[in-house]
Amino acid sequence: MTASAPRLWRSALFMPASNARALEKSRGLDADILVFDLEDATAEADKESARTMAADRIASREGRAAHVIRVNALDSDWIAADVKAAADANADAIVIPKVAAAADLESVRRMLPAGAQTPLWAMIETPRALMNLKEIAQAADTGLEALVFGGNDMTSELRARPGPDRAELVPHLAATVAAARACGLIALDGVFNDVKDAEGCEAEALQGRRLGFDGKTLIHPAQIDIANRAFSPAPDEVAWAEAVAAAFDAPENQGKAVLSVNGEMVEILHLTRARRILAMAAQHENRNAGQ
């Protein structure tokens, strides 16, 4: 699975791997990504059993969602077994918490069984990760596929005061997207904590979309539809993209670099954006048709 593969990344739901009922209910959810969490959402006493439950759930996968595992901390007693279990279950990716440097990714790569090619997703959630963002994103030889922003830990470690507009995090969110784009990686936004505030979740998801993220990590199934809508092309976007593509495809405009479309001057870079929007819209239609 690569960043250019025909997958959707709009909604990535974290769920405790120790909760058998939640794991079973996940089969009917419309999330693009299911993240079975062995770290924060799993108590120490349940780490071993949760690992087995997550691996069994992934091995018995069904539906279109990507199935990934968030492993325990790099300095924990559980991570080596977590990584092996994820690879043996053919997880679509391994999410690594608190990645601080490229060496952390290299360490996890060495834990994989011989021949395993499971992609790695790095969580960016500490100031040290921000300082090393370039080297982390460039660690292609480790199998890195995605950067996942961890807003809660980042806010805490920065000693920032969280606000509804995430002003304290916007520079770091934008830096994470830029690093992902420069290196051809997926970029996932952080979670929204208030599961009862649908409007707030939607506003934050739309902010993430404006910043360039591919999707948003979530903590409750009620947030899935919100993220799916926010990270899908809106009807007016699709209409704009169709008009731009049609204008450049018209025989009389062949070879032209600049056109006027509905009173707006557009260039080749706008055509590139239009093609991307239309491709996303087609993916979403195909996803819906297959349900």
Side-chain angles (χ1 to χ4, degrees), residues 164 192 197-205:
F192 182 78
D197 184 2
E199 290 185 2
C201 184
E202 181 180 26
E204 191 169 287

Side-chain angles (χ1 to χ4, degrees), residues 94-96 99 105 120-124 136 144 146-149:
I94 296 171
V95 182
I96 310 164
V99 172
L105 298 171
L120 305 182
W121 293 7
M123 293 204 69
I124 306 301
I136 292 171
L144 179 66
L147 300 180
V148 183
F149 193 81

